[in-house]
Amino acid sequence: MTKPSAPITQDVHTIPRKLPEGGKVNLVGLTRDQLRDVLIEAGTPEKQAKMRVGQIWQWIYHWGVRDFAQMTNLAKDYRAMLVERFEITVPEIVSKQVSMDGTRKYLLKIAGGHEVEAVYIPEENRGTLCISSQVGCTLTCSFCHTGTQKLVRNLTAGEIVGQVMVARDDLEEWPEQNTPKNETRLVSNVVLMGMGEPLYNFENVRDAMQVVMDGEGLSLSRRRITLSTSGVVPEIAKTAEEIGCLLAISFHATTDEVRDKLVPINKKWNIETLLNALRDYPRLSNSERITFEYVMLKGVNDSDEDARRLVKLIRGIPAKINLIPFNEWPGAPYERSDWERIESFADIIYKAGYASPIRTPRGEDIMAACGQLKSATERARKSRAEIQAEAGL
Ligand code: SAH
Ligand code: SF4
């Protein structure tokens, strides 16, 4: 396993929000303030700017409109100006796979020809969209397939919000004008549990979530958004204060020795440092509890002793422990713990007073489960390369 020796954010190439001179600015992912600024820059009188922001915002995020011509409450010449200077673009769906259990995995193409994945998981009373924050990941958690892929770049706020919009397109979830509002939401929850470490792309993730949470648009409450981090300690308090969403921690081990191997960021911020940073989160974010994610790896972190150590470690932190049966991927160096082992582990946690749901793997037949993302793409790329080689290209 290699760890970058330079500060991790230094090699991150973020695409600027504004394209070079002459290019159109994508309005998707701009916060209200940023949208106001670009509209004023484009000649909108300051006095009107707030109203224009409200109108355009509603078209884009409430009605799902992509074409300025449909923004009928704006004057024709104003719409013409918008067409000239701006665009409303979301990632393009390259392919979609639907699992036997209804899970949908989208392969999305973003600027520069890069690809990321998003997964929609329908459940009885809700639907969760799992979105990506980076192409690849700088970290190298040894059980995670995304971790075997180098970081290509951070996603822009627009590309993060765009994943939610694309899923709504595919599920045909945008409201129709003049028809009653549909109260059951298909995308009712968002989890930042796809590819990448969201806290190494903090500003874009924060701006994107501000757009997603805005009450006049996509309107998902902050309690319906969960950000999962491997434990980027300096960003945790900021997440509470500037996003305020629910937090999940990829905990996965109960000793530094084991966590160093599974989640190598532990060498930078160890278990004690991480837990100290977490103690303030519920108060700062005014949320009830933190989710501790714990992947069950046979013979590595799944003993009864681990379970007992885990509850001792998190004592005093309002928490729920989410046990994730390991999702295997080709070449993975671990195996999933046996079912009885997982149940025995869950039992100890439950008896200690914590909720300990075992996450049902979803979309396994299409490799859409946690930690499996990007694998299919890599395979597809490889086979294309092989095909080209065979064809002598
Ligand atoms: N980078 C962030 C979010 C993406 S991973 C993080 O690490 O938290 C989402 C969750 O899936 C994390 O808890 C991660 O540890 C877990 N995960 C990764 N690979 C997995 C695998 N193969 N099986 C089960 N869970 C996995
Ligand atoms: Fe990156 Fe999360 Fe995978 Fe670790 S588990 S390599 S932080 S995506």
Side-chain angles (χ1 to χ4, degrees), residues 63-358:
W63 298 112
V65 160
R66 302 287 149 78
D67 182 356
F68 292 111
Q70 288 175 35
M71 302 187 176
T72 45
N73 56 356
L74 298 173
K76 263 204 175 138
D77 54 348
Y78 193 73
R79 281 186 256 160
M81 180 282 288
L82 292 174
V83 171
E84 190 121 317
R85 319 229 356 186
F86 302 109
E87 59 184 18
I88 305 167
T89 342
V90 296
E92 177 198 337
I93 299 183
V94 178
S95 66
K96 175 176 92 175
Q97 284 172 279
V98 183
S99 158
M100 307 268 285
D101 67 16
T103 300
R104 297 175 183 213
K105 181 166 80 169
Y106 304 106
L107 174 62
L108 305 171
K109 193 192 265 167
I110 54 169
H114 303 301
E115 288 169 346
V116 286
E117 289 179 335
V119 177
Y120 175 70
I121 307 149
E123 286 167 284
E124 213 163 292
N125 310 315
R126 60 181 190 175
T128 302
L129 185 70
C130 174
I131 60 174
S132 296
S133 56
Q134 301 183 308
V135 186
C137 189
T138 43
L139 302 171
T140 50
C141 303
S142 50
F143 55 90
C144 171
H145 201 200
T146 310
T148 64
Q149 194 209 339
K150 268 192 179 173
L151 178 76
V152 179
R153 70 166 169 87
N154 276 339
L155 297 192
T156 62
E159 289 160 347
I160 299 169
V161 177
Q163 294 172 63
V164 180
M165 296 169 74
V166 161
R168 292 197 106 202
D169 290 350
D170 184 55
L171 296 162
E172 298 182 9
E173 208 198 347
W174 297 104
E176 292 212 10
Q177 293 191 48
N178 306 320
T179 52
K181 208 172 152 199
N182 185 359
E183 293 299 339
T184 47
R185 298 199 51 170
L186 296 173
V187 179
S188 64
N189 293 64
V190 164
V191 294
L192 282 145
M193 290 187 189
M195 295 160 60
E197 168 48 61
L199 295 189
Y200 275 140
N201 187 13
F202 182 81
E203 285 173 13
N204 289 328
V205 166
R206 177 200 57 205
D207 290 356
M209 290 308 108
Q210 253 153 33
V211 173
V212 169
M213 292 188 287
D214 190 288
E216 280 168 54
L218 295 164
S219 195
L220 285 178
S221 95
R222 61 190 190 85
R223 284 162 201 273
R224 291 188 172 269
I225 298 173
T226 304
L227 183 150
S228 173
T229 178
S230 56
V232 184
V233 165
E235 307 293 320
I236 288 177
K238 262 166 70 187
T239 305
E241 284 157 5
E242 297 179 35
I243 308 179
C245 59
L246 302 180
L247 186 70
I249 297 291
S250 294
F251 205 61
H252 305 322
T254 60
T255 64
D256 281 324
E257 197 194 346
V258 176
R259 196 163 190 271
D260 279 352
K261 290 202 186 95
L262 298 181
V263 189
I265 202 175
N266 194 68
K267 290 184 213 155
K268 205 162 181 177
W269 296 292
N270 66 13
I271 291 180
E272 196 191 342
T273 315
L274 175 60
L275 290 172
N276 283 336
L278 294 179
R279 283 182 211 285
D280 286 335
Y281 193 89
R283 182 180 53 79
L284 289 177
S285 66
N286 189 23
S287 59
E288 280 140 38
R289 51 190 185 169
I290 292 174
T291 301
F292 284 78
E293 298 167 279
Y294 198 95
V295 62
M296 299 298 293
L297 305 170
K298 194 180 210 163
V300 176
N301 63 355
D302 61 352
S303 67
D304 286 352
E305 207 188 340
D306 277 306
R308 282 191 283 268
R309 241 189 330 252
L310 178 59
V311 291
K312 229 188 219 166
L313 280 171
I314 66 170
R315 196 170 287 160
I317 303 177
K320 127 177 150 189
I321 297 163
N322 205 331
L323 299 177
I324 318 175
F326 175 57
N327 295 310
E328 294 185 12
W329 38 271
Y334 301 104
E335 280 175 72
R336 179 181 290 184
S337 306
D338 296 331
W339 194 249
E340 305 82 73
R341 187 86 299 278
I342 300 180
E343 284 193 323
S344 157
F345 196 99
D347 204 42
I348 292 172
I349 290 165
Y350 180 74
K351 285 196 177 122
Y354 293 96
S356 57
I358 302 170

